[in-house]
Amino acid sequence: MNNVNVRLAQLADASDSESILRLLEHYYEHPMGAGGPLPADVRGRVLDGLRSHPTTLVFLAEQAGVAQGMAVCFLGYSTFKARPLINIHDLVVHGDCRGQGLGSALIDAVIEHARENSCGAVTLEVRADNPARKLYAKKGFEDLTDPTHGETMLFGKRTLV
């Protein structure tokens, strides 16, 4: 890992907000995203939406002070465990920085934050054709594909307690 620092973003901070938008645009343009530019109306609303959503957590992975990855997460609740959980909604690593440990560091930071806050699990959803599935499996997420519903989406859960 090349000196990766992962921290919680401050959504009111202009620099963090710009990093989030830049990484979201990069993610949206990738084939695992939408394969095209981020619509202007979404770009104009997304930061206010993240700021106003009461359970938003955004982790930024930085190299040399520049955010090159992020995990957009939301706090939920597991009725089966009677504990909060964290859902990783988006995990983004800039294409120029893939394979350098940023994704792994982001997942580790989310899991550590979940443990520190007595969460019972960390969850995520991923497309079946996403190569990041290997990383998620390595980090302990389960493949919960239901073959009767096709393989368009996989759901993963890493149980903490």
Side-chain angles (χ1 to χ4, degrees):
M1 218 178 296
N2 297 329
N3 296 323
V4 177
N5 177 52
V6 179
R7 64 178 178 81
L8 274 172
Q10 301 302 311
L11 296 174
D13 179 83
S15 178
D16 283 0
S17 293
E18 186 53 41
S19 293
I20 291 166
L21 280 177
R22 178 178 50 80
L23 288 164
L24 183 61
E25 286 173 334
H26 181 73
Y27 176 56
Y28 200 86
E29 290 174 353
H30 190 275
M32 287 295 119
L38 185 67
D41 66 315
V42 172
R43 189 180 203 288
R45 292 190 327 262
V46 70
L47 288 172
D48 285 341
L50 290 171
R51 287 182 194 120
S52 68
H53 194 284
T55 68
T56 300
L57 298 167
V58 179
F59 295 81
L60 294 175
E62 300 171 326
Q63 287 182 313
V66 177
Q68 300 290 8
M70 76 174 171
V72 178
C73 305
F74 299 97
L75 192 62
Y77 192 79
S78 170
T79 55
F80 289 167
K81 294 190 176 293
R83 291 181 179 268
L85 62 82
I86 294 177
N87 177 261
I88 301 172
H89 184 72
D90 296 310
L91 185 75
V92 182
V93 174
H94 194 281
D96 295 341
C97 299
R98 291 198 181 113
Q100 298 178 24
L102 279 82
S104 182
L106 282 162
I107 291 170
D108 290 347
V110 171
I111 290 169
E112 181 60 26
H113 185 87
R115 281 194 176 113
E116 290 171 358
N117 289 278
S118 301
C119 293
V122 175
T123 63
L124 58 85
E125 303 164 11
V126 62
R127 285 175 33 171
D129 60 345
N130 191 327
R133 288 175 51 200
K134 290 182 232 166
L135 172 62
Y136 303 145
K138 181 179 170 185
K139 292 295 181 178
F141 288 88
E142 300 172 53
D143 181 342
L144 302 175
T145 304
D146 179 353
T148 63
H149 291 95
E151 291 195 39
T152 57
M153 193 70 82
L154 300 171
F155 296 90
K157 173 178 68 174
R158 169 148 179 187
T159 302
L160 300 178
V161 290

